[in-house]
Amino acid sequence: MRHASKMIRQHILALLADGQFHSGETIAQEVGLSRTAVAGHIAQLTEWGLDVFKVKGKGYKLNRQFALLNADLINRQLKCPSLSLVQVEPVLASTNTELKKRIVNARHNLADGDVMLAEIQTAGRGRHGKQWLAPVGGSLTFSMYWSFPDGYQSMAGLSLLVGVAVCNALQKFGVEDVQLKWPNDVYLHGKKLAGVLIEVEGQIGATAHSVIGIGLNVCVPDEQYNVGQPHTDLTSFLGQVPDRNALAASMIDSLRELLPIFTMEGFGRFVGTWQSLDLFADKTVVLQMGDKRFSGIERGIDESGALLVETQEGITRFHGGEVSLRGG
């Protein structure tokens, strides 16, 4: 029953994605359900963030059309499509959560570089448990699996490395002005464009299994969506909606190119690149760490990915997961 509902919603989403009016009767015939049942499915999709409205006598229509994510289209644009699996799901609670389930479940034999993308995330997350809000068709949300045989300690600086990979991918689309905010945000012209969430499964002393989650604003107009902080999107910068499947392929290629180097050599060789993209380089920053606040001049990062802040006492190192950072 659950699988059937998923297929029905995927079908409805595909029908509406053209941005044209579709009558309830036509949709009902397409999916083999009553108009009442169709209305229920569309109500659920709307609750999950699908921007759909109904006009009496015309039917249902999206606020704007969009091209659906498609695993075949993504694979065709990858440099090495056979390296690992690319899977697209119409609706998931969270791509990170789904991959974490597969790590724990021995039936799923994951390979480095396997990717899960979702058109709709019903419980997407950012750092510190914050909700990641993503309008349907207006974002690119995906997660990649990568293992670290040398354990958790060999992952130092991973979120920063992922930020570099995202910037490299975006620069291929003509987005040259991207910057990085330590430890895991991508900014464009001073506003948040994308976020990274790293989660890890595994025992101490054994292989660490990482899930690399990325959320990118593709078409999220700031006048329509309040995400709790200043944000921007690629459409505003480029003047047109970019191809999300091409974007996904570029991101996946960039991660697959840099992650093997990082796994073998660590973050050290990427320090210079990250610092060239640093949003707060040599600026006053304020860091909140629990109930404590620190202020100082941001002086880049070290080879472990720790943030270096110059205070009256000298250089202090801060590690990911402990602090929030904003310009002072």
Side-chain angles (χ1 to χ4, degrees), residues 70-222:
N70 184 292
D72 289 337
L73 290 177
I74 294 170
N75 272 313
R76 283 181 213 160
Q77 298 175 76
L78 291 174
K79 292 177 181 176
C80 300
S82 61
L83 276 180
S84 45
L85 180 69
V86 174
Q87 185 175 348
V88 174
E89 288 288 339
V91 182
L92 284 177
S94 155
T95 54
N96 265 32
T97 299
E98 180 63 25
L99 279 190
K100 285 171 68 180
K101 286 179 184 176
R102 295 186 180 200
I103 290 169
V104 174
N105 189 335
R107 290 191 299 109
H108 294 283
N109 187 20
L110 290 171
D112 286 346
D114 279 358
V115 174
M116 174 69 67
L117 303 99
E119 201 66 77
I120 297 173
Q121 283 199 135
T122 60
R125 305 187 310 285
R127 286 185 77 229
H128 307 304
K130 294 179 181 177
Q131 185 178 11
W132 173 268
L133 298 171
V136 180
S139 66
L140 179 63
T141 53
F142 72 94
S143 300
M144 177 180 284
Y145 168 79
W146 200 270
S147 64
F148 292 87
D150 292 334
Y152 187 82
Q153 67 276 8
S154 66
M155 295 174 56
L158 176 58
S159 67
L160 282 69
L161 178 279
V162 173
V164 170
V166 170
C167 289
N168 286 353
L170 290 172
Q171 286 166 358
K172 294 173 184 175
F173 281 79
V175 187
E176 300 287 348
D177 301 331
V178 277
Q179 292 179 286
L180 294 169
K181 175 188 170 186
W182 185 90
N184 55 8
D185 288 336
V186 180
Y187 271 59
L188 180 61
H189 296 163
K191 296 181 178 180
K192 185 172 178 178
L193 177 66
V196 176
L197 178 64
I198 309 290
E199 298 187 271
V200 189
E201 295 284 341
Q203 304 296 322
I204 294 176
T207 295
H209 303 275
S210 74
V211 176
I212 300 164
I214 295 173
L216 172 71
N217 296 330
V218 177
C219 185
V220 190
D222 58 4

Side-chain angles (χ1 to χ4, degrees), residues 2 7 10 12 48 58 65 70 92-93 120 122 149 163-164 184 195 203 216 220 239 253 264 274 290 310 312-313 326:
R2 188 176 173 184
M7 297 303 292
Q10 184 175 12
I12 292 172
W48 286 335
K58 287 189 174 182
Q65 71 177 87
N70 184 292
L92 284 177
I120 297 173
T122 60
V164 170
N184 55 8
Q203 304 296 322
L216 172 71
V220 190
D253 274 340
M264 294 292 293
W274 194 95
E310 183 180 343
Q312 292 179 343
E313 289 74 38
R326 60 187 182 276

Side-chain angles (χ1 to χ4, degrees), residues 245-279:
N245 290 304
L247 268 174
S250 184
M251 295 273 186
I252 294 166
D253 274 340
S254 186
L255 286 165
R256 288 178 177 174
E257 178 183 346
L258 298 189
L259 280 166
I261 302 170
F262 174 84
T263 304
M264 294 292 293
E265 303 180 26
F267 184 66
R269 68 177 288 179
F270 299 101
V271 169
T273 303
W274 194 95
Q275 292 189 149
S276 72
L277 299 164
D278 186 359
L279 178 66

